[in-house]
């Protein structure tokens, strides 16, 4: 029996049971029971398609492992070009504007639900300054862990000495992956955990790569990287 999902429009598979026909959506995993001519939702959908943000995805390969990477848009650096609305909102996130932080936090929740990542924990990438985590990182990770009922990994990755901020340092002084790797420690074992690693902007990717390595070394079985933006290089 063919049926399309009333929530997301994907095809639903059906099976007959003593209670009636059960339809299962291949997209949002919603389940509907049909008895005579009454339909009842018996499992809620994983996501609301109207709330799924636009996003880009690609695979990174780190330590021979596939690390799916998702980001919401491209960041155009200040001064080099006219900044678009998205880039401005990413800067507002960095400045700690609460309405922007909540909007991005909802986007990240809906992206994780839509991609069915089902992580055990979300961990923010620490800032370049010793012991620091930005307000945006902290609040976003709090929100996502509450909404998805997963562990809050704030302070699991810690910077124990400061490194130069990449975008402020001249190219030959810019920290490389090894500098990040050496200056960041993992405070807890992550045995067999599926981890979402979060950062606001990915530029060279050196910090993220170092963090992914560290997380795998702490025992994680899977790492997904999510950033709000990826820097668009303008010549
Ligand atoms: Zn569906």
């Amino acid at each position: 029996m063919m049926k399309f999902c009333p929530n997301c429009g994907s095809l639903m598979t059906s099976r007959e049971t003593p209670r009636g026909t059960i339809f299962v959506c291949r997209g949002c995993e919603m389940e509907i029971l049909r008895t005579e001519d009454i339909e009842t939702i018996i499992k809620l959908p994983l996501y609301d398609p109207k709330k799924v943000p636009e996003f880009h995805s690609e695979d990174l390969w780190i330590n021979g492992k596939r690390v799916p990477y998702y980001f919401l848009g491209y960041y155009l650096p200040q001064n080099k070009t006219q900044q678009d609305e998205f880039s401005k909102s990413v800067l507002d996130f960095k400045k700690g504007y609460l309405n922007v932080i909540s909007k991005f936090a909802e986007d990240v929740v809906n992206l994780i639900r839509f991609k069915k990542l089902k992580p055990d924990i979300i961990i923010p990438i620490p800032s370049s300054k010793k012991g620091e985590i930005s307000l945006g990182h902290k609040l976003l990770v709090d929100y996502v862990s509450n909404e998805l009922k997963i562990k809050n990994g704030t302070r699991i990755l810690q910077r124990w000495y400061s490194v130069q901020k990449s975008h402020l340092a001249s190219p030959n002084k810019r920290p490389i992956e090894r500098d990040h790797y050496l200056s960041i420690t993992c405070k807890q074992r992550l045995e067999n955990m599926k981890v979402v690693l979060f950062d606001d902007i990915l530029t060279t990717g050196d910090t993220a790569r170092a963090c992914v390595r560290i997380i795998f070394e702490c025992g994680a079985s899977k790492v997904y990287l999510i950033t709000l933006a990826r820097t668009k290089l303008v010549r």
Side-chain angles (χ1 to χ4, degrees), residues 46-232:
L46 285 179
Y47 59 87
D48 175 349
K50 292 187 290 294
K51 291 184 179 167
V52 177
E54 279 185 38
F55 67 92
H56 307 264
S57 64
E58 67 183 64
D59 285 339
L60 306 178
W61 289 88
I62 300 172
N63 279 13
K65 290 181 180 141
R66 186 172 74 89
V67 177
Y69 169 42
Y70 306 99
F71 58 102
L72 303 178
Y74 286 95
Y75 176 74
L76 304 169
Q78 271 174 309
N79 307 327
K80 297 205 172 152
T81 174
Q82 185 99 37
Q83 273 197 318
D84 61 350
E85 285 308 311
F86 178 77
S87 300
K88 283 180 192 157
S89 67
V90 173
L91 272 189
D92 287 345
F93 177 91
K94 279 188 165 296
K95 289 174 191 158
Y97 292 178
L98 295 180
N99 58 332
V100 178
I101 295 170
S102 0
K103 169 68 173 68
F104 277 133
E106 278 178 38
D107 285 348
V108 170
V109 164
N110 287 307
L111 171 62
I112 291 173
R113 286 190 170 138
F114 177 69
K115 293 304 296 179
K116 301 175 198 168
L117 305 185
K118 300 180 181 171
D120 302 299
I121 187 168
I122 175 165
I123 299 177
I125 289 183
S127 90
S128 49
K129 209 168 162 195
K130 179 185 171 183
E132 267 194 13
I133 173 165
S134 84
L135 182 66
H137 282 69
K138 186 188 177 302
L139 294 181
L140 184 140
V141 166
D142 286 353
Y143 181 84
V144 172
S145 59
N146 277 329
E147 280 294 302
L148 299 178
K149 298 179 178 62
I150 59 174
K151 290 204 174 76
N152 184 328
T154 304
R155 306 221 166 267
I156 284 201
L157 288 182
Q158 284 192 26
R159 188 83 73 167
W160 61 289
Y161 60 85
S162 301
V163 296
Q164 294 244 24
K165 278 192 196 296
S166 284
H167 64 284
L168 298 179
S170 58
N172 58 340
K173 285 189 179 161
R174 194 171 283 165
I176 57 169
E177 186 177 330
R178 185 174 166 76
D179 300 315
H180 294 296
Y181 181 83
L182 294 175
S183 63
I184 294 171
T185 52
C186 184
K187 292 289 182 186
Q188 199 182 297
R189 292 296 298 169
L190 301 166
E191 225 57 63
N192 292 319
M193 280 192 179
K194 287 163 81 176
V195 177
V196 163
L197 183 63
F198 170 78
D199 208 354
D200 47 12
I201 304 181
L202 180 131
T203 302
T204 63
D206 281 349
T207 319
R209 283 177 176 277
C211 289
V212 170
R213 275 182 212 284
I214 293 166
I215 287 171
F216 276 135
E217 285 166 9
C218 274
S221 59
K222 185 80 191 169
V223 182
Y224 302 99
L225 174 64
I226 297 180
T227 70
L228 303 180
R230 174 169 202 170
T231 300
K232 188 149 206 154

Side-chain angles (χ1 to χ4, degrees), residues 4-12 24-30 45-47 49:
F4 289 97
C5 174
N7 178 53
C8 76
S10 302
L11 192 64
M12 302 184 91
V24 180
C25 176
R26 290 180 183 173
C28 68
E29 297 182 8
M30 179 162 82
L46 285 179
Y47 59 87

Side-chain angles (χ1 to χ4, degrees), residues 23 43 154:
F23 295 90
K43 189 182 163 208
T154 304

